Amino acid sequence: GENVEQHPSTLSVQEGDSAVIKCTYSDSASNYFPWYKQELGKGPQLIIDIRSNVGEKKDQRIAVTLNKTAKHFSLHITETQPEDSAVYFCAASPGAGGTSYGKLTFGQGTILTVHP
Amino acid sequence: GAVVSQHPSWVICKSGTSVKIECRSLDFQATTMFWYRQFPKQSLMLMATSNEGSKATYEQGVEKDKFLINHASLTLSTLTVTSAHPEDSSFYICSARMDSNQPQHFGDGTRLSIL
């Protein structure tokens, strides 16, 4: 089955700095890679996702890059703010087709702390 | 849109009792719901996949007689932890999707504490 490794486990930055979280996956059949933000006592919320036919996707301060050959993808947050502090999870999923979504395998999570 | 609600959000009960957790899709019909378990400071581990009107598919190592899943309608799935013991204490999270061409939307989880 799929195995997703996520690093670092904790990340501390100053407000305004950038934060980068990296994930690697093992199953070459995976073609959908979402990123989730989980706040304390809450469920994960999708913040950005990317499919394997795209190398990069950006949404305001958040971007995701994908290197399908190397089987790794990264989350980039620019101009971090204290409210970005949370646990971030990457995930990988195979899909039966170009737009379908399969079972998610999650990374171990990264605790991001943004100091004001 | 795409709101998933879980109830209860927090439950404490004695060892040996059974606990039922509900997962509802509030503004869409969910053909598939997923149940995850998350231990403190750990990742989400998929327990089972539930399709409306059929039996749930459990992941390896998850006891189907211990964790009963019912998905009787397109907006409701339930997880019953039978004869719960302290080691079952965890954060249980459900997700739902309309169909295989839509992403999963997660509920806010249920904190289960077994004394």
Side-chain angles (χ1 to χ4, degrees), chain A residues 7-54:
Chain A
H7 298 281
S9 56
T10 60
L11 180 59
S12 183
V13 300
Q14 289 295 129
E15 183 177 2
D17 288 350
S18 295
V20 180
I21 303 171
K22 299 181 178 182
C23 288
T24 60
Y25 63 99
S26 61
D27 189 349
S28 57
S30 289
N31 65 1
Y32 174 65
F33 308 93
W35 284 89
Y36 293 89
K37 176 183 182 181
Q38 186 178 29
E39 297 178 330
L40 192 63
K42 299 286 187 180
Q45 297 298 310
L46 178 68
I47 55 172
I48 196 168
D49 56 9
I50 193 168
R51 285 202 170 269
S52 59
N53 57 350
V54 176

Side-chain angles (χ1 to χ4, degrees), chain A residues 47-86:
Chain A
I47 55 172
I48 196 168
D49 56 9
I50 193 168
R51 285 202 170 269
S52 59
N53 57 350
V54 176
E56 183 173 357
K57 184 176 178 181
K58 190 174 182 179
D59 182 4
Q60 299 183 345
R61 297 187 296 110
I62 296 173
V64 57
T65 58
L66 171 66
N67 183 327
K68 194 168 169 60
T69 302
K71 295 196 187 75
H72 66 70
F73 55 113
S74 300
L75 176 71
H76 304 254
I77 305 174
T78 58
E79 300 173 33
T80 54
Q81 301 166 2
E83 49 266 39
D84 293 330
S85 298

Side-chain angles (χ1 to χ4, degrees), chain B residues 74-93:
Chain B
L74 286 171
T75 59
L76 173 65
S77 176
T78 61
L79 167 67
T80 301
V81 183
T82 62
S83 187
H85 292 284
E87 57 266 28
D88 297 322
S89 298
S90 188
F91 194 48
Y92 291 87
I93 305 172

Side-chain angles (χ1 to χ4, degrees), chain A residues 38 43 99-101 103 106-107, chain B residues 38 43 46 59 97 100 107-108:
Chain A
Q38 186 178 29
T99 58
S100 66
Y101 296 78
K103 188 169 64 175
F106 285 83
Chain B
Q38 186 179 31
S43 188
L46 180 65
E59 295 299 300
R97 70 178 187 198
S100 62
D108 274 341

